[in-house]
């Protein structure tokens, strides 16, 4: 690992060359490197937290003078209870995962003595651009090394002291391992993002970790493929036969568990028949959490009638723009899906909900609350998103929750092929999640929290 | 299917909307559409060939006046023996393939009653831009429909009559099926490529089918992901322990089976110890096929000594540029890999060959000829390419040959993820092919030709 002060092209070229040797390192050697990283970060907790405190001091005064948001401040703080330990545990979790390199998923005898195999291998060189979270450096370095990819890490100015200190610690730890020195490059020079984004001869994939302004900027300024998502405009649709309790649990968790997250819900679609039977209870529960609702005419009218005058006063009218907005805050846009009260699955309404989400959503994660198998399956097949959920909070869209250990980010990309591309190369997967109203907030390490089972099932 | 005379944005929007219903069509309905396409193309062979003859007449005069290459003329001609039948058979082959949609490859119990699945689904809307080959329209329409993807097809001016006639035939055939009318859009208006490439809100993937100028142009002018490859700079490396007969067979087939193809070899790397033992026989065989060799100093010296004066006179000197050139012709660049004659696997030489290919190759398909398992495995692990071959012609890099029925193209892309991206999302596959000197030219439908077995093996 080297700390590059300047010359991003030299860093990228070196990373590209070292990627070849990293790609053929044994999994034992890659795991040893993760152990070394973990032990060094554990041993150097004190100087790292001291560096983080300096970043925090600068950020706090920037925040006080209104130049930095509270959210960034919170993300920057490595001293928050459990955060440092989580970072350390994350490295061990990644170490414990199966080797993703060298997996064969297709093997064909083309003729006697002529065998074809498809085997997984690293991508090459990743460029990861962060904003505030300093712990992401350790996570991403662990994921990159485990997967045999070289990585160029470019930190943000808010976390510069933390970044440099963590980088030095990881760097000297890796020097004693078989991971090539140039395989993890840390670029801390400012104003080099544009240069790095131009190095498509060396860099295979850019992963921006930050707000949507960063992601958009990266997408506009590079020809290198970008993995990630600019927006997380997730929706929850309450179908006419939604269970009320399930609806309340799913909507409240989707909106309130962590409103600034990309997998928080922004839009609530409500079947016309559910305006009076389900929406009022959902609205009361959201109001209790401090959520503002921006409603279309029909849903506003229904709520004004059903709620107490105090609650009814909190209902606001919506504009068209609200249905295309990622609020990242305790605000939710509510829209009525026209429908009948006739006892049927009401496919026409379902189609309208699907059409709204496919048009206004960001293909991230969308959820239906319904008691009907058939409606749920239709929704999950028709929605064009990376995650399509039935009776479960959109907040489950997360690598740790899916049992992947950790993640480099959540991608709304849709392509994934190399070599001769046949039918299989023209498809992408989606994650289908079927639940019974579970909320992500129920899960965690604390007492009274539920634990994930992450048990493999037969396919 | 509609034939759009103008307004590419309207075509793309319509395709995008219809993609939703195509995505949920049953495989039976999608297969029925392929049957209808096949039958209509069979019934209308006469008018289609007549239209193709008009294109050919124009192209022939353009070729005679030097405005069109012979290669394009050859690709345009649908009346060549077997070509029309191959096109028809291709549709039936795709129809016979397993449904690629709805395949589950991951299923996890997150908690009791909370199950996660990963299931394959269509990408959405494909934009396919062709140059000359008119039969590709039928192939791609079949692949798109079978995989549940909407497609916008933009034909080249050389094949405009063939394109329009085939399009009308396919269009009226599909009208009687459940495939939505707008799911396959044919845009024949000229000068709309730039407009189409700007429609990233509707189009998910661009697949350019043509020369590398077209592919480069597309890559430079769109933010939509592009599937394909600009270059096919494939190499064959003769290791010190290569079997002579195998080397001759593999190199001659890789270079001569179809020199204008992307999977033809352009560079021949030769271990220093093989310059005198193997290269002369390879060179004589290549000369017999009319190949010109552009050699570095050492290989030239070795050949001048070993060959007859007549043959030796055919050896040319190389320039650095030759090792970065996709000749697409009967020309091959030869480079010596320094090495020892000591009896060992000579890892240092292997590393140099790998470094050359990883630096100068196009990550398409590269081959090692060696008798050593160990060297072969090391080469296949270290080369960063979509196809890495051992003792087999680079010409095997083809969807039909891999047993995929047909292909939309060969991609040298390296990314492929959506949803939360963990370790698995940081890897891509490569195709490993292990043979015993087989050549693609041996395989075919004619008498005396070998047939592919395409038999699944246990993983």
């Amino acid at each position: 690992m080297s700390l590059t002060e300047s010359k991003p092209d030299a860093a990228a070229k070196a990373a590209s060359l070292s990627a070849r040797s990293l790609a053929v390192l044994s999994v034992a050697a890659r795991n040893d490197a993760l152990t070394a990283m973990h032990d060094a970060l554990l041993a150097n907790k004190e100087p790292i937290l001291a560096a983080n405190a300096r970043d925090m001091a600068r950020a706090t005064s920037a925040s006080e003078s209104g130049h930095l948001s509270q959210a960034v401040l919170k993300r920057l703080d490595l001293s928050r209870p459990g955060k440092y330990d989580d970072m350390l545990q994350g490295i061990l979790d990644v170490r414990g995962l199966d080797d993703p390199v060298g997996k064969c998923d297709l093997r064909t005898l083309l003729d006697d003595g002529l065998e074809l195999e498809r085997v997984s291998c690293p991508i090459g060189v990743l460029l990861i651009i962060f904003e505030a979270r300093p712990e992401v450096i350790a996570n991403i370095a662990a994921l990159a090394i485990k997967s045999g990819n070289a990585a160029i890490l470019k930190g943000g100015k808010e976390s510069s002291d933390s970044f440099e200190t963590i980088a030095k610690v990881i760097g000297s730890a890796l020097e004693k391992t078989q991971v090539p020195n140039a395989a993890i490059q840390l670029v801390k020079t400012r104003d080099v993002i544009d240069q790095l984004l131009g190095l498509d001869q060396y860099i295979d994939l850019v992963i921006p970790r930050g707000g949507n302004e960063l992601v958009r900027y990266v997408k506009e300024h590079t020809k290198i493929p970008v993995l990630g998502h600019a927006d997380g405009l997730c929706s929850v649709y309450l179908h006419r036969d939604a269970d009320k309790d399930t609806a309340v649990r799913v909507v409240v968790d989707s909106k309130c568990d962590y409103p600034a997250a990309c997998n928080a819900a922004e839009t609530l679609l409500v079947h016309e028949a559910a305006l009076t039977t389900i929406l009022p209870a959902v609205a009361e529960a959201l109001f209790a959490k401090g959520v503002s609702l921006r409603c279309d005419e029909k849903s506003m009218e229904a709520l004004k009638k059903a709620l107490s005058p105090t609650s009814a006063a909190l209902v606001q009218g919506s504009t068209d723009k609200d249905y295309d907005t990622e609020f990242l805050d305790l605000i939710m846009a509510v829209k009525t899906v026209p429908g009948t009260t006739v006892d049927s699955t009401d496919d026409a309404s379902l189609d309208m909900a699907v059409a709204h989400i496919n048009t206004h959503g960001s293909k991230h994660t969308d959820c239906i609350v319904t008691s009907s198998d058939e409606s749920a399956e239709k929704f999950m097949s028709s929605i064009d998103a990376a995650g399509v959920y039935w009776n479960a909070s959109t907040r489950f869209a997360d690598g740790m929750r899916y049992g992947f250990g950790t993640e480099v980010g959540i991608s709304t990309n849709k392509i994934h092929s190399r070599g001769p591309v046949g039918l299989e190369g023209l498809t992408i997967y989606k994650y289908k999640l079927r639940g019974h109203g579970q909320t992500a907030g129920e899960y965690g390490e604390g007492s009274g929290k539920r634990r994930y089972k992450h048990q493999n099932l037969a396919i």
Side-chain angles (χ1 to χ4, degrees), chain A residues 45-351:
Chain A
K45 184 172 177 177
E46 212 174 300
I48 290 170
L49 288 183
N52 185 246
R54 294 194 295 277
D55 285 333
M56 282 298 290
R58 267 198 309 277
T60 305
S61 73
S63 171
E64 280 163 7
S65 63
H67 292 94
L68 199 75
S69 76
Q70 284 285 335
V72 172
L73 203 61
K74 196 173 159 195
R75 287 199 284 269
L76 183 59
D77 187 3
L78 255 185
S79 69
R80 281 197 298 154
K83 204 164 175 183
Y84 203 91
D85 293 338
D86 283 353
M87 174 181 83
L88 292 176
Q89 187 55 44
I91 299 170
L92 299 183
D93 287 348
V94 171
R95 188 186 63 180
L97 294 175
D98 279 351
D99 185 9
V101 177
K103 284 195 170 165
C104 173
D105 71 344
L106 180 148
R107 198 171 158 225
T108 309
L109 183 78
L110 298 191
D111 188 21
D112 294 330
L114 184 62
E115 291 185 21
L116 179 70
E117 278 184 10
R118 186 167 62 194
V119 177
S120 66
C121 61
I123 292 174
V125 178
L126 317 177
L127 166 62
I128 298 114
I129 303 174
F130 321 85
E131 285 181 336
R133 301 173 187 263
E135 78 278 16
V136 176
I137 306 164
N139 292 341
I140 303 258
L143 282 168
I145 291 169
K146 177 86 183 201
S147 62
N149 284 292
I152 300 166
L153 311 177
K154 169 74 186 79
K157 65 176 188 304
E158 292 84 5
S159 59
S160 62
D161 272 29
S162 318
F163 181 79
E164 185 166 346
T165 311
I166 295 177
K168 279 185 180 156
V169 168
I170 296 179
S172 55
L174 290 182
E175 264 170 28
K176 294 161 210 149
T177 72
Q178 289 182 58
V179 168
N181 228 20
I184 308 289
Q185 296 274 340
L186 296 144
V187 178
K188 65 190 196 74
T189 328
R190 296 191 185 179
D191 309 322
V192 296
I193 288 189
D194 283 341
Q195 276 176 272
L196 286 166
L197 293 178
L199 297 169
D200 55 335
Q201 70 273 45
Y202 300 127
I203 298 170
D204 296 298
L205 185 61
V206 186
I207 305 174
R209 286 296 304 252
N212 54 13
E213 264 181 60
L214 172 70
V215 180
R216 265 180 230 284
Y217 184 87
V218 167
K219 290 197 174 195
E220 296 286 329
H221 289 82
T222 189
K223 266 177 268 165
I224 306 169
V226 178
L227 189 148
H229 61 273
D231 298 298
L233 207 164
C234 306
S235 301
V236 179
Y237 168 52
L238 307 180
H239 198 37
R240 67 177 303 281
D241 59 359
D243 173 71
K244 188 156 68 178
D245 285 350
T246 303
V248 170
R249 293 157 63 83
V250 167
V251 176
V252 169
D253 190 75
S254 296
K255 179 72 253 177
C256 311
D257 185 54
Y258 188 5
C262 59
N263 55 14
E266 308 293 2
T267 298
L268 178 64
L269 298 173
V270 185
H271 187 282
E272 197 170 353
L275 289 179
T276 50
T277 54
I278 300 168
L279 181 61
V282 171
E284 289 283 16
L286 289 171
F287 289 148
K289 293 276 187 175
V291 176
S292 306
L293 294 183
R294 301 195 180 168
C295 299
D296 67 346
E297 267 184 42
K298 277 190 182 173
S299 62
M300 179 143 70
E301 195 188 312
L303 284 178
K304 295 265 185 205
K305 274 187 200 164
L307 299 177
S308 66
T310 329
S311 291
L314 296 169
V315 178
Q316 303 168 345
S318 64
T319 62
D320 284 352
K321 203 176 151 239
D322 289 321
Y323 303 106
D324 293 309
T325 301
E326 187 183 9
F327 299 108
L328 295 171
D329 204 346
L330 290 173
I331 303 167
M332 195 165 208
V334 182
K335 194 178 178 78
T336 306
V337 178
T340 68
T341 50
V342 178
D343 190 19
S344 81
T345 52
D346 206 349
D347 268 4
S349 300
L350 189 62
D351 287 346

